[in-house]
Amino acid sequence: QLGGGPYRPDNDLASLWHTFVVPELAGGSGEQPLDLGVLELQPSEISLDLANPTADKPVSLGAGLSSAKLRPGQTFTIYVKARIAPGHHIYAMRNPGEKFTPTTLELTLPPSVTLGGDWMAPPIRGRPDKTVSYVGDGWFRRYLKLEADAKPGTNKIACDFQYQVCNEEICWPPAKQALEANAEVIESQK
């Protein structure tokens, strides 16, 4: 028996995800089914080269934009990639449980950029303690819009990524990492 989610198209990113569960392998009635994983495709318009996580630093992060050159009035996407070491997880943006810190992403935008919706997060994984988390490589994304009267030049978009990483034995204290992505505003075509 397979369960999971549908194809979720966006106008600049197609994410295909599916969770595979085999209840017969759960080990008896009343236990959680065996979760065989989630497939999420990488955004095609961006590539972020991140360091591999280590035992000392189990999470690597990076940020980028769907386009490095923008015209006034253009909508674009900021992407944040989290690479989480095998055997580790970070708690989800919602429902992390009472004693854990949820993942948060806080943007600092230049005056010429406005928000275009909420954060979209990678697929979550349920845990035996009834919390939800992210594992492996995952992409967070949010739509932004450049104002029609934006002047040419460089715009820095900053993102504070706060998270708590754990494995089956220990949880690290909550951490925050400052990320940034730059967009060059070019003159509008007349």
Side-chain angles (χ1 to χ4, degrees):
Q1 177 181 350
L2 297 177
Y7 176 69
R8 302 176 306 193
D10 294 321
N11 57 358
D12 71 346
L13 169 71
S15 251
L16 178 62
W17 66 277
H18 204 87
T19 302
F20 298 94
V21 177
V22 182
E24 293 79 17
L25 299 178
S29 63
E31 291 187 29
Q32 283 284 58
L34 177 64
D35 185 348
L36 297 178
V38 174
L39 170 67
E40 181 184 34
L41 299 180
Q42 171 177 314
S44 60
E45 70 274 8
I46 185 169
S47 176
L48 293 176
D49 291 324
L50 300 181
N52 286 324
T54 65
D56 294 335
K57 189 177 180 199
V59 178
S60 295
L61 299 167
L65 303 175
S66 57
S67 179
K69 294 183 187 260
L70 302 169
R71 297 194 184 282
Q74 186 175 345
T75 299
F76 60 104
T77 305
I78 183 168
Y79 292 98
V80 175
K81 182 177 183 180
R83 176 169 285 162
I84 304 162
H88 294 75
H89 59 274
I90 61 174
Y91 286 94
M93 296 174 83
R94 295 180 179 83
N95 303 323
E98 292 180 17
K99 59 185 177 176
F100 303 109
T101 300
T103 296
T104 59
L105 293 90
E106 185 177 326
L107 292 174
T108 303
L109 302 174
S112 60
V113 177
T114 58
L115 297 174
D118 294 330
W119 281 103
M120 292 169 270
I124 56 174
R125 172 113 9 122
R127 302 194 36 77
D129 62 1
K130 309 285 189 230
T131 62
V132 290
S133 61
Y134 307 117
V135 297
D137 286 3
W139 291 89
F140 297 83
R141 63 191 186 278
R142 190 165 191 179
Y143 297 115
L144 304 172
K145 183 168 176 84
L146 187 62
E147 294 291 330
D149 60 355
K151 304 289 184 247
T154 301
N155 283 265
K156 181 175 92 169
I157 299 171
C159 179
D160 284 334
F161 190 100
Q162 183 172 347
Y163 62 96
Q164 184 174 19
V165 63
C166 299
N167 61 28
E168 294 305 318
E169 298 173 7
I170 188 171
C171 285
W172 282 255
K176 184 185 282 189
Q177 185 171 335
L179 306 169
E180 67 177 55
N182 291 312
E184 182 184 346
V185 178
I186 57 177
E187 289 193 31
S188 183
Q189 292 179 334
K190 308 252 182 204

